Amino acid sequence: MSSPAPKTSTQTPLVAALEQLGPHDHFCSIYESPEEHYAVAIPFMRIGLDRGEKCIYIADDGTVGDVRQAMESEGIDVDRASASKALVLATKEQAYLEHGSFHPDWMFTFWKEATQLAMSEGFSAVRATGETEWVLRGGRGLERWMEYESQLTHTLSESNCSALCQYNRRLFPPELILDVIRTHPVVVYRGTVCRNLYYVPPEEFLGTNQTAREVERLLTNIREREHVEDALREQLTERKRAEEELRRSEAYLADGQRISHTGSWGWNVGTGELFWSREHFRIFGLDPETAPPSYAMVLEGIHPDDRPLVEQTVDRAVRERTEFEVNCRVVLADESIKYVQSLGHPVISESGDPIEFVGTLIDVTERRRAEEALREAQAELAHVTRVMTMGELAASIAHEINQPLAALVTNGGVCLRWLAREPPNLDEAREAARRIIRDGNRANEVISRIRALMRKTDMATARVDINEVIEEVILLTRNETTRRGVTVRMELAADLPPVSGDRVQLQQLTLNLLMNGIEAMASVNDRPRELIICSRTNESGQVLVAVQDCGMGIAGEDLEKIFDAFYTTKSQGMGMGLAISRSIIEAHGGRLWATPNDGAGATIQFTLPLSAPANEA
């Protein structure tokens, strides 16, 4: 059973400390005014009512009404609590002097029986408090009052009961107050609940030779107090050292964040509260003293084009309780742009819900600028390499153009002769004209391919048929392979799916690998110089192209070195062809590598991811 819930009082340090006490506790309140008196007694009663305990208040002569009024002024419904037997307002005659005089044993029996009755009525425990001013007026048996107080601690330890004894310091003589302090393990004084260092156990308080026991106890307390103070001093020293270490660590962290342009942040998912480090504020161009962080502030600072991606990424991470990484642009107050990378990690509660996210914000603007400069340098180098390669192939290119030009001249003469006949042979003239058009288109195609390779343009991604790229490059280098005595064999898979990439760069990639294979066989004289180019789809669903030569091969330690810039095994080589080829492949999301053949020569292979379907591109 429990009383109707009283109104909730303001949680003060005193109330919080009283809530830590419960069954088996024996403590006293030493007060100097009625306000101090009720400031302890009423919360003590309220806590018991809230916990479903039976509360007994033993009042002095004529003070029951005052106690009732004090409880009701604090919102306790005394009538309802009394009706439910949760609250008993008793007089000293009903408790302490029930038999006409005071006797400790009768009181111990009273508390045991009261506890048993309360438990049978459904209450969880008993708590009692009593006013003691009547003790000063004397009566039979009251000479044993301090004996009762001393032994009550033991009695309560064996029953589900707690007791608060109240003493007015202005009325009781110091000698009795001193004994009150000695007989209570806990003392409440001036709003503070204190564990009593001067508590004397019953066997000492009631035993013989009390003076000697007092001396021993005081000396023990003095020694123990010194030990406690030594330990406290040590803890303060350790705390100071820890605080200094913390300050040093925070300073190192702040310097590290400033140097690395890395800020840290924390986000309470439930409250929306955000924490930013000073470097995080600096990256956003904000003052930590005047701009408290918020999620709205984050979104406002992000470039409008990147904002939807950030919101989607964060929402998904919260919903799926996963880590996230997002790259975006931040627009500063002066409209300048910073590139940032943010990584977040969820802190999950026992129930599996994210409590907060913690993470980092990295200013990658300088890195992006460096990467862009590197890409521009690589593009420029790739263009120069293409021009140089085309220069090396000038004779072959001239031959490819001369063939259709010579055919144009020949077929032009043939056409004129057929027209000069009497009568003109128009059918033969038309056929000659068609051959002129065909050879003109052929010459135009060769020139277009050359111009495409020589042109300096930005990377343009499109759907590319890699087989067409291979065939175009082989046609362009046909005379060069013939001149060097190289036979080119194509094993291109039919119906090969298109890849996504820049056609010119993929032409340069194929040209570099083809020329590398041709040059690798330059010193081969004891076997046919054959170059095999294959294309297929690999087990990962990507397009794979392999260029296999039968040259001198590649040593195992050189299989990776050949892709390093300026590394070459050829006396006339720059060592840039394969390095540029790898950069092209990596920019396309593919992979380029070399393997030795079982026999002579080596194979260089690359993979490229497939292009998205046309309706998704």
Side-chain angles (χ1 to χ4, degrees), residues 80-331:
R80 291 184 63 190
S82 299
S84 65
K85 300 182 180 180
L87 176 63
V88 176
L89 295 181
T91 65
K92 69 179 189 299
E93 285 78 12
Q94 294 171 315
Y96 298 115
L97 303 176
E98 184 178 7
H99 298 277
S101 63
F102 179 80
H103 195 288
D105 293 339
W106 296 340
M107 287 307 302
F108 299 147
T109 302
F110 174 84
W111 291 125
K112 290 180 181 178
E113 292 177 349
T115 302
Q116 292 170 358
L117 176 61
M119 301 296 285
S120 68
E121 292 172 336
F123 295 98
S124 62
V126 169
R127 67 173 52 206
T129 185
E131 299 172 352
T132 57
E133 293 181 9
W134 59 274
V135 175
L136 292 173
R137 295 193 287 271
R140 285 191 300 164
L142 286 175
E143 68 278 359
R144 300 185 64 185
W145 179 256
M146 294 314 302
E147 175 188 343
Y148 160 74
E149 284 281 38
S150 178
Q151 293 183 344
L152 183 57
T153 299
H154 176 71
T155 300
L156 295 178
S157 68
E158 295 181 335
S159 61
N160 202 20
C161 180
S162 60
L164 166 65
C165 305
Q166 304 178 51
Y167 290 90
N168 189 334
R169 186 182 177 189
R170 293 186 180 276
L171 298 180
F172 283 88
E175 296 81 7
L176 196 143
I177 292 294
L178 181 59
D179 282 344
V180 168
I181 294 173
R182 288 170 171 166
T183 54
H184 290 82
V186 178
V187 175
V188 183
Y189 180 62
R190 292 191 175 177
T192 303
V193 179
C194 311
R195 293 292 172 181
N196 185 7
L197 295 175
Y198 304 103
Y199 168 69
V200 180
E203 60 274 14
E204 289 188 28
F205 185 81
L206 300 175
T208 58
N209 201 10
Q210 290 188 10
T211 302
R213 290 174 179 267
E214 180 79 3
V215 170
E216 178 63 26
R217 183 169 47 77
L218 288 176
L219 290 174
T220 301
N221 285 347
I222 290 172
R223 185 176 67 253
E224 290 180 352
R225 178 168 181 173
E226 184 63 24
H227 291 163
V228 170
E229 290 181 351
D230 285 344
L232 184 60
R233 281 192 293 269
E234 180 66 23
Q235 290 176 359
L236 293 172
T237 302
E238 288 296 326
R239 180 177 177 179
K240 185 176 180 181
R241 186 179 297 117
E243 289 175 347
E244 182 61 29
E245 288 293 332
L246 179 60
R247 281 192 295 270
R248 186 179 295 112
S249 297
E250 289 176 342
Y252 290 157
L253 178 60
D255 287 344
Q257 289 192 354
R258 179 176 52 80
I259 293 170
S260 65
H261 306 299
T262 302
S264 56
W265 55 266
W267 176 40
N268 187 305
V269 178
T271 64
E273 182 181 9
L274 272 176
F275 163 80
W276 285 2
S277 68
R278 297 191 69 87
E279 182 63 16
H280 196 302
F281 278 100
R282 192 200 65 77
I283 292 173
F284 265 71
L286 297 173
D287 184 353
E289 304 300 328
T290 60
S294 66
Y295 187 55
M297 177 190 294
V298 174
L299 293 179
E300 184 179 351
I302 293 173
H303 193 285
D305 293 345
D306 299 342
R307 204 170 293 158
L309 172 63
V310 173
E311 290 184 280
Q312 293 169 12
T313 302
V314 173
D315 290 346
R316 185 185 307 113
V318 173
R319 185 172 61 253
E320 299 178 0
R321 305 172 178 84
T322 57
E323 296 182 345
F324 71 84
E325 176 181 340
V326 64
N327 292 273
C328 62
R329 290 164 291 177
V330 172
V331 183

Side-chain angles (χ1 to χ4, degrees), residues 423-462:
N425 191 333
L426 297 180
D427 291 337
E428 292 294 345
R430 289 190 190 96
E431 181 59 32
R434 279 193 289 269
R435 289 196 296 271
I436 290 172
I437 293 172
R438 181 199 64 193
D439 292 331
N441 288 334
R442 178 182 168 194
N444 182 62
E445 289 174 2
V446 173
I447 293 170
S448 296
R449 286 194 291 270
I450 294 170
R451 290 181 63 189
L453 279 168
M454 298 288 284
R455 190 181 302 121
K456 181 180 178 182
T457 59
D458 295 332
M459 181 174 177
T461 302

Side-chain angles (χ1 to χ4, degrees), residues 40 74 76 132 142 312 347 376 384 389 466 503 539 556:
V40 178
E74 289 298 318
I76 298 177
T132 57
L142 286 175
Q312 293 169 12
V347 179
E376 291 178 0
V384 170
T389 302
I466 197 68
R503 190 179 191 88
E539 57 278 3

Side-chain angles (χ1 to χ4, degrees), residues 8 82 147 230 259 376 378 463 501 507 581 598:
T8 303
S82 299
E147 175 188 343
D230 285 344
I259 293 170
E376 291 178 0
Q378 288 176 334
R463 291 162 59 86
Q507 286 176 331
S581 298
D598 290 338

